Amino acid sequence: MPTSLSPGHAAPFRGIWPALLTPLNPDLSIDHARLIRHCQRLLDAGCGGVTPFGTTGEGPSFSLAERRAAVDALVAGGIPASRILVSTSCAALPETLELTRHALSIGAHGCLMLPPFFLKGVPDQGVIDAYRYVIDGAADARLRLYLYHIPQVAGVGLSHHVIATLKRLYPDTIVGIKDSSCDTAHSVALAEAFMPELMVYVGNEPDLPEMGRRGSTGAVSGIANFMPRLVDRLVMQSGAPTTSAERERVQQLIALLGGYALMPALKGVMSILDQDPAWLRVRPPLLALNPQELRTLEEQLRSFGIDTRTD
C-alpha cells in the first residue's frame, strides 16, 4: 500500500536553482573542486539553490557512486545540503531509490525524478508504479519529490492522470513539477490543473514570465549557469517594465545556441566566460565543441554581449 507521509516539511523551493553543468577532469571523472566553486558562485549571485545531475548535467552518464560522491563533495565543500535539489533519476529503479535515500541522509532539499525512461510506450500505471517503488522504498516523511517532464529527451512523459494520482497518493511528498517540454500551452495547462496545490516550474526560460504571473515561484534553468540574475528576474519579477526586453534577450540567446548541440554549447559558454578550456569536456556520447565551433561561438557571444557580473 502507498505510504501516506505526514505533513509539516518545507514548502517547494523559491527562486532559481540552476540545472548544473558538470565540470570534468581530463580523464572525464567529475571535477569536484570546480563544481564546488561553480555552485558557490551561483549561490553568491542570489540563486536559491542548485540542481546537480539533471539533463543539463549529463546525469545519466554518471554512475551511482560518482553522483553520490559529488553530492557529498558539495556538502563537504560548504554548499548547504538544504540548498541542493538532487536529480536522482537512473535507468534502474533500485539505483534511483539509493540516490534518493542518500539525498535524504544528507538533508538535501529534495529530489527531482524522471519517469522510467529506458522502455518506451509504457502505460500510465507503469509510470505510477515506478514512482511508488521509490517513494514507498524511501518511506521517509522528509522526502520532497519533484516530478520531471521532458518527453523529448526521456521518451516518456507525465500525463495529468499520473500527476493527479501521485499527488492524491502522496499529498505531502509530491511538491512540484519541472516541465521542460518547451511547450507553452502544456505548461499553462499544468498550471491551470494543479497550481497552487502543486507548484509548476518550467525549464524553457522564455516561458518564465507567463508562469511567474500564474504564481510559479522559480525555475530549474540551464541558462542560469551563467545568467542567473536575469533568469531570476524573468520569473520572480515578471511584471517589471524590463521583462519583455529581457525575455527577448533570452530568446535570442537560445536561438544562438540552437546552432550547436545544447550541452556542449552551454559548456562552451562557460569555457569562454571563465576563460577555462576545462569546461569544454563532456562525457560520451556527447562531443565537445571543436576549435572552429568554439571560435564561432565566441564571436557570436561577443556580438550578443554577456556580462556575468550583471546577468
Side-chain angles (χ1 to χ4, degrees), residues 151-294:
Q152 70 274 29
V153 174
V156 178
L158 294 169
S159 70
H160 282 218
H161 171 66
V162 166
I163 295 167
T165 300
L166 291 171
K167 183 62 176 174
R168 175 176 56 81
L169 292 173
Y170 305 99
D172 304 310
T173 300
I174 308 298
V175 296
I177 307 165
K178 181 179 189 287
D179 179 18
S180 292
S181 65
C182 300
D183 180 340
T184 306
H186 183 267
S187 299
V188 168
L190 285 176
E192 291 177 344
F194 296 107
M195 286 173 58
E197 289 80 12
L198 187 62
M199 188 54 60
V200 179
Y201 308 90
V202 292
N204 187 40
E205 290 84 0
D207 288 337
L208 288 174
E210 175 66 27
M211 296 302 291
R213 288 188 287 269
R214 292 174 177 273
S216 182
T217 61
V220 175
S221 159
I223 288 176
N225 278 278
F226 45 83
M227 299 177 80
R229 296 176 181 88
L230 189 152
V231 174
D232 182 86
R233 291 192 298 271
L234 285 177
V235 64
M236 305 304 287
Q237 303 175 36
S238 57
T242 57
T243 298
S244 179
E246 293 195 320
R247 179 179 180 275
E248 175 63 24
R249 178 170 167 78
V250 167
Q251 284 183 305
Q252 291 171 356
L253 177 62
I254 291 172
L256 184 160
L257 296 175
Y260 307 87
L262 182 57
M263 267 67 83
L266 292 173
K267 284 190 162 181
V269 175
M270 289 297 302
S271 173
I272 292 164
L273 293 177
D274 282 2
Q275 298 183 15
D276 181 0
W279 270 111
L280 293 171
R281 300 178 186 125
V282 293
R283 272 259 175 111
L286 298 180
L287 294 175
L289 297 184
N290 63 45
Q292 180 57 56
E293 288 173 325
L294 185 63

Side-chain angles (χ1 to χ4, degrees), residues 9 23 38 47 59 79 88 102 107 110 145-146 164 167 169 177 202 229 235 265:
H9 46 291
H38 182 47
C47 292
I79 306 302
T88 60
H102 176 257
L145 195 65
Y146 294 81
K167 183 62 176 174
L169 292 173
I177 307 165
V202 292
R229 296 176 181 88
V235 64

